PDB file of all heavy atoms in Angstrom:
ATOM      1  N   LYS A   1      23.990  53.414  -5.418  1.00 93.00           N
ATOM      2  CA  LYS A   1      23.085  54.555  -5.000  1.00 93.00           C
ATOM      3  C   LYS A   1      22.750  55.326  -6.281  1.00 93.00           C
ATOM      4  O   LYS A   1      23.681  55.850  -6.903  1.00 93.00           O
ATOM      5  CB  LYS A   1      23.661  55.430  -3.941  1.00 93.00           C
ATOM      6  CG  LYS A   1      22.900  56.696  -3.641  1.00 93.00           C
ATOM      7  CD  LYS A   1      23.701  57.601  -2.757  1.00 93.00           C
ATOM      8  CE  LYS A   1      23.021  58.972  -2.640  1.00 93.00           C
ATOM      9  NZ  LYS A   1      23.830  59.927  -1.974  1.00 93.00           N
ATOM     10  N   SER A   2      21.495  55.446  -6.655  1.00 91.00           N
ATOM     11  CA  SER A   2      21.146  56.168  -7.897  1.00 91.00           C
ATOM     12  C   SER A   2      21.079  57.627  -7.528  1.00 91.00           C
ATOM     13  O   SER A   2      21.244  58.072  -6.449  1.00 91.00           O
ATOM     14  CB  SER A   2      19.756  55.642  -8.352  1.00 91.00           C
ATOM     15  OG  SER A   2      18.783  56.029  -7.503  1.00 91.00           O
ATOM     16  N   LYS A   3      20.932  58.367  -8.636  1.00 91.00           N
ATOM     17  CA  LYS A   3      20.850  59.822  -8.496  1.00 91.00           C
ATOM     18  C   LYS A   3      19.754  60.316  -7.668  1.00 91.00           C
ATOM     19  O   LYS A   3      19.780  61.276  -7.047  1.00 91.00           O
ATOM     20  CB  LYS A   3      20.825  60.482  -9.838  1.00 91.00           C
ATOM     21  CG  LYS A   3      22.137  60.460 -10.642  1.00 91.00           C
ATOM     22  CD  LYS A   3      22.130  61.369 -11.824  1.00 91.00           C
ATOM     23  CE  LYS A   3      23.419  61.231 -12.463  1.00 91.00           C
ATOM     24  NZ  LYS A   3      23.782  62.426 -13.266  1.00 91.00           N
ATOM     25  N   GLU A   4      18.680  59.559  -7.669  1.00 91.00           N
ATOM     26  CA  GLU A   4      17.476  59.756  -6.861  1.00 91.00           C
ATOM     27  C   GLU A   4      17.635  59.408  -5.335  1.00 91.00           C
ATOM     28  O   GLU A   4      16.822  59.703  -4.537  1.00 91.00           O
ATOM     29  CB  GLU A   4      16.271  58.976  -7.394  1.00 91.00           C
ATOM     30  CG  GLU A   4      15.847  59.406  -8.780  1.00 91.00           C
ATOM     31  CD  GLU A   4      16.633  58.774  -9.883  1.00 91.00           C
ATOM     32  OE1 GLU A   4      16.973  57.641  -9.732  1.00 91.00           O
ATOM     33  OE2 GLU A   4      16.917  59.514 -10.896  1.00 91.00           O
ATOM     34  N   GLY A   5      18.706  58.768  -5.040  1.00 89.00           N
ATOM     35  CA  GLY A   5      19.039  58.340  -3.657  1.00 89.00           C
ATOM     36  C   GLY A   5      18.587  56.970  -3.289  1.00 89.00           C
ATOM     37  O   GLY A   5      18.496  56.628  -2.123  1.00 89.00           O
ATOM     38  N   GLU A   6      18.159  56.188  -4.253  1.00 89.00           N
ATOM     39  CA  GLU A   6      17.608  54.861  -3.983  1.00 89.00           C
ATOM     40  C   GLU A   6      18.833  53.867  -3.978  1.00 89.00           C
ATOM     41  O   GLU A   6      19.740  53.874  -4.758  1.00 89.00           O
ATOM     42  CB  GLU A   6      16.629  54.447  -5.169  1.00 89.00           C
ATOM     43  CG  GLU A   6      16.125  53.116  -4.986  1.00 89.00           C
ATOM     44  CD  GLU A   6      15.259  52.767  -6.167  1.00 89.00           C
ATOM     45  OE1 GLU A   6      14.574  53.676  -6.726  1.00 89.00           O
ATOM     46  OE2 GLU A   6      15.186  51.563  -6.449  1.00 89.00           O
ATOM     47  N   ILE A   7      18.871  53.060  -2.956  1.00 89.00           N
ATOM     48  CA  ILE A   7      19.943  52.076  -2.754  1.00 89.00           C
ATOM     49  C   ILE A   7      19.444  50.682  -3.233  1.00 89.00           C
ATOM     50  O   ILE A   7      18.322  50.297  -2.838  1.00 89.00           O
ATOM     51  CB  ILE A   7      20.302  51.929  -1.225  1.00 89.00           C
ATOM     52  CG1 ILE A   7      20.657  53.276  -0.586  1.00 89.00           C
ATOM     53  CG2 ILE A   7      21.401  50.951  -1.067  1.00 89.00           C
ATOM     54  CD1 ILE A   7      21.939  53.900  -1.203  1.00 89.00           C
ATOM     55  N   SER A   8      20.172  50.053  -4.013  1.00 86.00           N
ATOM     56  CA  SER A   8      19.833  48.671  -4.549  1.00 86.00           C
ATOM     57  C   SER A   8      21.011  47.827  -4.863  1.00 86.00           C
ATOM     58  O   SER A   8      22.118  48.448  -4.947  1.00 86.00           O
ATOM     59  CB  SER A   8      18.892  48.768  -5.718  1.00 86.00           C
ATOM     60  OG  SER A   8      19.593  49.410  -6.887  1.00 86.00           O
ATOM     61  N   LEU A   9      20.777  46.501  -5.042  1.00 86.00           N
ATOM     62  CA  LEU A   9      21.831  45.671  -5.449  1.00 86.00           C
ATOM     63  C   LEU A   9      21.969  45.723  -6.983  1.00 86.00           C
ATOM     64  O   LEU A   9      20.999  45.759  -7.626  1.00 86.00           O
ATOM     65  CB  LEU A   9      21.573  44.271  -4.965  1.00 86.00           C
ATOM     66  CG  LEU A   9      21.842  43.911  -3.543  1.00 86.00           C
ATOM     67  CD1 LEU A   9      21.629  42.309  -3.334  1.00 86.00           C
ATOM     68  CD2 LEU A   9      23.309  44.226  -3.126  1.00 86.00           C
ATOM     69  N   ASP A  10      23.172  45.701  -7.445  1.00 86.00           N
ATOM     70  CA  ASP A  10      23.412  45.742  -8.860  1.00 86.00           C
ATOM     71  C   ASP A  10      24.205  44.358  -9.198  1.00 86.00           C
ATOM     72  O   ASP A  10      25.331  44.314  -9.166  1.00 86.00           O
ATOM     73  CB  ASP A  10      24.214  46.921  -9.296  1.00 86.00           C
ATOM     74  CG  ASP A  10      24.535  47.043 -10.720  1.00 86.00           C
ATOM     75  OD1 ASP A  10      23.888  46.227 -11.489  1.00 86.00           O
ATOM     76  OD2 ASP A  10      25.423  47.761 -11.192  1.00 86.00           O
ATOM     77  N   LEU A  11      23.486  43.342  -9.495  1.00 82.00           N
ATOM     78  CA  LEU A  11      24.058  42.046  -9.702  1.00 82.00           C
ATOM     79  C   LEU A  11      24.774  41.990 -11.130  1.00 82.00           C
ATOM     80  O   LEU A  11      25.618  41.249 -11.356  1.00 82.00           O
ATOM     81  CB  LEU A  11      22.967  40.985  -9.712  1.00 82.00           C
ATOM     82  CG  LEU A  11      22.312  40.712  -8.309  1.00 82.00           C
ATOM     83  CD1 LEU A  11      21.167  39.761  -8.365  1.00 82.00           C
ATOM     84  CD2 LEU A  11      23.309  40.427  -7.250  1.00 82.00           C
ATOM     85  N   THR A  12      24.400  42.873 -12.032  1.00 84.00           N
ATOM     86  CA  THR A  12      25.050  42.956 -13.372  1.00 84.00           C
ATOM     87  C   THR A  12      26.279  43.820 -13.345  1.00 84.00           C
ATOM     88  O   THR A  12      27.212  43.651 -14.184  1.00 84.00           O
ATOM     89  CB  THR A  12      24.097  43.588 -14.374  1.00 84.00           C
ATOM     90  OG1 THR A  12      23.676  44.872 -14.025  1.00 84.00           O
ATOM     91  CG2 THR A  12      22.853  42.640 -14.549  1.00 84.00           C
ATOM     92  N   GLY A  13      26.383  44.798 -12.383  1.00 82.00           N
ATOM     93  CA  GLY A  13      27.521  45.699 -12.337  1.00 82.00           C
ATOM     94  C   GLY A  13      27.535  46.785 -13.385  1.00 82.00           C
ATOM     95  O   GLY A  13      28.448  47.449 -13.667  1.00 82.00           O
ATOM     96  N   LYS A  14      26.266  47.037 -13.955  1.00 88.00           N
ATOM     97  CA  LYS A  14      26.223  48.104 -15.037  1.00 88.00           C
ATOM     98  C   LYS A  14      25.183  49.254 -14.649  1.00 88.00           C
ATOM     99  O   LYS A  14      25.131  50.167 -15.491  1.00 88.00           O
ATOM    100  CB  LYS A  14      25.757  47.383 -16.307  1.00 88.00           C
ATOM    101  CG  LYS A  14      26.657  46.298 -16.775  1.00 88.00           C
ATOM    102  CD  LYS A  14      26.395  45.859 -18.135  1.00 88.00           C
ATOM    103  CE  LYS A  14      27.243  44.751 -18.553  1.00 88.00           C
ATOM    104  NZ  LYS A  14      28.610  45.030 -18.841  1.00 88.00           N
ATOM    105  N   LYS A  15      24.521  49.184 -13.512  1.00 90.00           N
ATOM    106  CA  LYS A  15      23.674  50.320 -13.232  1.00 90.00           C
ATOM    107  C   LYS A  15      24.560  51.615 -13.006  1.00 90.00           C
ATOM    108  O   LYS A  15      25.647  51.605 -12.530  1.00 90.00           O
ATOM    109  CB  LYS A  15      22.905  50.002 -11.851  1.00 90.00           C
ATOM    110  CG  LYS A  15      21.830  49.035 -12.049  1.00 90.00           C
ATOM    111  CD  LYS A  15      21.053  48.863 -10.750  1.00 90.00           C
ATOM    112  CE  LYS A  15      19.908  47.916 -10.907  1.00 90.00           C
ATOM    113  NZ  LYS A  15      19.219  47.745  -9.597  1.00 90.00           N
ATOM    114  N   ALA A  16      23.817  52.730 -13.346  1.00 92.00           N
ATOM    115  CA  ALA A  16      24.411  53.972 -13.149  1.00 92.00           C
ATOM    116  C   ALA A  16      24.354  54.426 -11.660  1.00 92.00           C
ATOM    117  O   ALA A  16      23.315  54.137 -10.981  1.00 92.00           O
ATOM    118  CB  ALA A  16      23.732  54.992 -14.008  1.00 92.00           C
ATOM    119  N   GLY A  17      25.329  55.067 -11.183  1.00 92.00           N
ATOM    120  CA  GLY A  17      25.362  55.618  -9.797  1.00 92.00           C
ATOM    121  C   GLY A  17      26.584  55.248  -9.100  1.00 92.00           C
ATOM    122  O   GLY A  17      27.503  54.529  -9.557  1.00 92.00           O
ATOM    123  N   ARG A  18      26.685  55.737  -7.897  1.00 93.00           N
ATOM    124  CA  ARG A  18      27.841  55.478  -6.913  1.00 93.00           C
ATOM    125  C   ARG A  18      27.857  54.092  -6.395  1.00 93.00           C
ATOM    126  O   ARG A  18      26.697  53.476  -5.954  1.00 93.00           O
ATOM    127  CB  ARG A  18      27.626  56.403  -5.719  1.00 93.00           C
ATOM    128  CG  ARG A  18      28.640  56.170  -4.685  1.00 93.00           C
ATOM    129  CD  ARG A  18      29.977  56.964  -4.928  1.00 93.00           C
ATOM    130  NE  ARG A  18      30.803  56.834  -3.629  1.00 93.00           N
ATOM    131  CZ  ARG A  18      32.054  56.690  -3.727  1.00 93.00           C
ATOM    132  NH1 ARG A  18      32.583  56.552  -4.894  1.00 93.00           N
ATOM    133  NH2 ARG A  18      32.810  56.499  -2.641  1.00 93.00           N
ATOM    134  N   GLY A  19      28.816  53.375  -6.500  1.00 93.00           N
ATOM    135  CA  GLY A  19      28.881  51.886  -6.080  1.00 93.00           C
ATOM    136  C   GLY A  19      29.736  51.606  -4.895  1.00 93.00           C
ATOM    137  O   GLY A  19      30.856  52.255  -4.645  1.00 93.00           O
ATOM    138  N   ALA A  20      29.380  50.583  -4.129  1.00 93.00           N
ATOM    139  CA  ALA A  20      30.222  49.962  -3.124  1.00 93.00           C
ATOM    140  C   ALA A  20      30.122  48.435  -3.195  1.00 93.00           C
ATOM    141  O   ALA A  20      29.060  48.004  -3.783  1.00 93.00           O
ATOM    142  CB  ALA A  20      29.736  50.426  -1.750  1.00 93.00           C
ATOM    143  N   TYR A  21      31.037  47.764  -2.876  1.00 93.00           N
ATOM    144  CA  TYR A  21      31.095  46.290  -3.077  1.00 93.00           C
ATOM    145  C   TYR A  21      31.082  45.488  -1.747  1.00 93.00           C
ATOM    146  O   TYR A  21      31.661  45.996  -0.843  1.00 93.00           O
ATOM    147  CB  TYR A  21      32.359  45.895  -3.913  1.00 93.00           C
ATOM    148  CG  TYR A  21      32.285  46.419  -5.253  1.00 93.00           C
ATOM    149  CD1 TYR A  21      32.706  47.810  -5.599  1.00 93.00           C
ATOM    150  CD2 TYR A  21      31.805  45.622  -6.366  1.00 93.00           C
ATOM    151  CE1 TYR A  21      32.610  48.348  -6.923  1.00 93.00           C
ATOM    152  CE2 TYR A  21      31.743  46.207  -7.664  1.00 93.00           C
ATOM    153  CZ  TYR A  21      32.167  47.492  -7.903  1.00 93.00           C
ATOM    154  OH  TYR A  21      32.190  48.003  -9.189  1.00 93.00           O
ATOM    155  N   VAL A  22      30.468  44.351  -1.880  1.00 92.00           N
ATOM    156  CA  VAL A  22      30.381  43.452  -0.726  1.00 92.00           C
ATOM    157  C   VAL A  22      30.508  41.980  -1.193  1.00 92.00           C
ATOM    158  O   VAL A  22      30.031  41.631  -2.360  1.00 92.00           O
ATOM    159  CB  VAL A  22      29.081  43.780   0.159  1.00 92.00           C
ATOM    160  CG1 VAL A  22      27.917  43.310  -0.565  1.00 92.00           C
ATOM    161  CG2 VAL A  22      29.193  43.057   1.450  1.00 92.00           C
ATOM    162  N   CYS A  23      31.099  41.106  -0.422  1.00 90.00           N
ATOM    163  CA  CYS A  23      31.179  39.690  -0.758  1.00 90.00           C
ATOM    164  C   CYS A  23      29.780  39.145  -0.917  1.00 90.00           C
ATOM    165  O   CYS A  23      28.783  39.567  -0.374  1.00 90.00           O
ATOM    166  CB  CYS A  23      31.965  38.862   0.303  1.00 90.00           C
ATOM    167  SG  CYS A  23      33.665  39.354   0.508  1.00 90.00           S
ATOM    168  N   LYS A  24      29.658  37.977  -1.621  1.00 87.00           N
ATOM    169  CA  LYS A  24      28.425  37.327  -1.819  1.00 87.00           C
ATOM    170  C   LYS A  24      28.007  36.406  -0.648  1.00 87.00           C
ATOM    171  O   LYS A  24      27.454  35.395  -0.850  1.00 87.00           O
ATOM    172  CB  LYS A  24      28.486  36.479  -3.194  1.00 87.00           C
ATOM    173  CG  LYS A  24      28.508  37.308  -4.399  1.00 87.00           C
ATOM    174  CD  LYS A  24      28.432  36.398  -5.534  1.00 87.00           C
ATOM    175  CE  LYS A  24      28.529  37.163  -6.835  1.00 87.00           C
ATOM    176  NZ  LYS A  24      28.577  36.364  -8.083  1.00 87.00           N
ATOM    177  N   ASN A  25      28.240  36.853   0.602  1.00 86.00           N
ATOM    178  CA  ASN A  25      27.734  36.146   1.717  1.00 86.00           C
ATOM    179  C   ASN A  25      27.162  37.031   2.760  1.00 86.00           C
ATOM    180  O   ASN A  25      27.497  38.238   2.871  1.00 86.00           O
ATOM    181  CB  ASN A  25      28.864  35.210   2.255  1.00 86.00           C
ATOM    182  CG  ASN A  25      30.007  36.000   2.956  1.00 86.00           C
ATOM    183  OD1 ASN A  25      29.835  37.015   3.669  1.00 86.00           O
ATOM    184  ND2 ASN A  25      31.216  35.509   2.654  1.00 86.00           N
ATOM    185  N   ALA A  26      26.246  36.472   3.518  1.00 85.00           N
ATOM    186  CA  ALA A  26      25.491  37.297   4.477  1.00 85.00           C
ATOM    187  C   ALA A  26      26.303  37.763   5.646  1.00 85.00           C
ATOM    188  O   ALA A  26      26.001  38.907   6.128  1.00 85.00           O
ATOM    189  CB  ALA A  26      24.297  36.445   4.964  1.00 85.00           C
ATOM    190  N   GLU A  27      27.423  37.152   5.990  1.00 89.00           N
ATOM    191  CA  GLU A  27      28.294  37.628   7.049  1.00 89.00           C
ATOM    192  C   GLU A  27      28.970  38.854   6.778  1.00 89.00           C
ATOM    193  O   GLU A  27      29.041  39.774   7.578  1.00 89.00           O
ATOM    194  CB  GLU A  27      29.302  36.473   7.384  1.00 89.00           C
ATOM    195  CG  GLU A  27      28.852  35.298   8.167  1.00 89.00           C
ATOM    196  CD  GLU A  27      28.219  35.734   9.522  1.00 89.00           C
ATOM    197  OE1 GLU A  27      28.863  36.480  10.237  1.00 89.00           O
ATOM    198  OE2 GLU A  27      27.084  35.257   9.786  1.00 89.00           O
ATOM    199  N   CYS A  28      29.478  39.010   5.480  1.00 90.00           N
ATOM    200  CA  CYS A  28      30.074  40.272   5.102  1.00 90.00           C
ATOM    201  C   CYS A  28      29.108  41.424   5.116  1.00 90.00           C
ATOM    202  O   CYS A  28      29.363  42.571   5.460  1.00 90.00           O
ATOM    203  CB  CYS A  28      30.754  40.196   3.783  1.00 90.00           C
ATOM    204  SG  CYS A  28      32.405  39.375   3.934  1.00 90.00           S
ATOM    205  N   LEU A  29      27.940  41.157   4.706  1.00 89.00           N
ATOM    206  CA  LEU A  29      26.797  42.147   4.659  1.00 89.00           C
ATOM    207  C   LEU A  29      26.501  42.553   6.064  1.00 89.00           C
ATOM    208  O   LEU A  29      26.297  43.759   6.366  1.00 89.00           O
ATOM    209  CB  LEU A  29      25.570  41.689   3.972  1.00 89.00           C
ATOM    210  CG  LEU A  29      24.436  42.714   3.779  1.00 89.00           C
ATOM    211  CD1 LEU A  29      24.920  43.905   3.001  1.00 89.00           C
ATOM    212  CD2 LEU A  29      23.235  42.051   3.133  1.00 89.00           C
ATOM    213  N   LYS A  30      26.483  41.651   6.997  1.00 91.00           N
ATOM    214  CA  LYS A  30      26.199  41.982   8.372  1.00 91.00           C
ATOM    215  C   LYS A  30      27.263  42.831   8.986  1.00 91.00           C
ATOM    216  O   LYS A  30      27.007  43.778   9.715  1.00 91.00           O
ATOM    217  CB  LYS A  30      26.021  40.643   9.248  1.00 91.00           C
ATOM    218  CG  LYS A  30      24.730  40.067   8.934  1.00 91.00           C
ATOM    219  CD  LYS A  30      24.532  38.759   9.712  1.00 91.00           C
ATOM    220  CE  LYS A  30      23.336  38.019   9.373  1.00 91.00           C
ATOM    221  NZ  LYS A  30      23.191  36.691   9.956  1.00 91.00           N
ATOM    222  N   LYS A  31      28.579  42.485   8.680  1.00 92.00           N
ATOM    223  CA  LYS A  31      29.718  43.229   9.154  1.00 92.00           C
ATOM    224  C   LYS A  31      29.600  44.756   8.604  1.00 92.00           C
ATOM    225  O   LYS A  31      29.898  45.615   9.352  1.00 92.00           O
ATOM    226  CB  LYS A  31      30.977  42.609   8.620  1.00 92.00           C
ATOM    227  CG  LYS A  31      31.393  41.450   9.531  1.00 92.00           C
ATOM    228  CD  LYS A  31      32.732  40.849   8.897  1.00 92.00           C
ATOM    229  CE  LYS A  31      33.085  39.507   9.452  1.00 92.00           C
ATOM    230  NZ  LYS A  31      34.356  39.065   8.850  1.00 92.00           N
ATOM    231  N   ALA A  32      29.337  44.849   7.299  1.00 91.00           N
ATOM    232  CA  ALA A  32      29.264  46.165   6.685  1.00 91.00           C
ATOM    233  C   ALA A  32      28.083  46.911   7.302  1.00 91.00           C
ATOM    234  O   ALA A  32      28.207  48.163   7.519  1.00 91.00           O
ATOM    235  CB  ALA A  32      28.982  46.000   5.128  1.00 91.00           C
ATOM    236  N   ARG A  33      27.013  46.233   7.641  1.00 91.00           N
ATOM    237  CA  ARG A  33      25.812  47.010   8.284  1.00 91.00           C
ATOM    238  C   ARG A  33      26.240  47.393   9.708  1.00 91.00           C
ATOM    239  O   ARG A  33      26.049  48.560  10.114  1.00 91.00           O
ATOM    240  CB  ARG A  33      24.621  46.082   8.423  1.00 91.00           C
ATOM    241  CG  ARG A  33      23.454  46.712   8.990  1.00 91.00           C
ATOM    242  CD  ARG A  33      22.302  45.789   8.888  1.00 91.00           C
ATOM    243  NE  ARG A  33      21.058  46.382   9.482  1.00 91.00           N
ATOM    244  CZ  ARG A  33      19.940  45.733   9.524  1.00 91.00           C
ATOM    245  NH1 ARG A  33      19.723  44.581   9.110  1.00 91.00           N
ATOM    246  NH2 ARG A  33      18.847  46.526  10.051  1.00 91.00           N
ATOM    247  N   LYS A  34      26.966  46.656  10.457  1.00 93.00           N
ATOM    248  CA  LYS A  34      27.411  46.978  11.680  1.00 93.00           C
ATOM    249  C   LYS A  34      28.414  48.126  11.802  1.00 93.00           C
ATOM    250  O   LYS A  34      28.288  48.996  12.675  1.00 93.00           O
ATOM    251  CB  LYS A  34      28.102  45.714  12.505  1.00 93.00           C
ATOM    252  CG  LYS A  34      28.311  45.964  13.915  1.00 93.00           C
ATOM    253  CD  LYS A  34      28.866  44.584  14.492  1.00 93.00           C
ATOM    254  CE  LYS A  34      29.178  44.891  16.013  1.00 93.00           C
ATOM    255  NZ  LYS A  34      29.752  43.691  16.620  1.00 93.00           N
TER     256      LYS A  34
END
């Protein structure tokens, strides 16, 4: 989450902002969304 409030994926791991992590599979993303 950037300072402007924009949510995006950071595949490099170097973007500035608050971070949360998820596995590289769609199932974990669905669980996190639920």
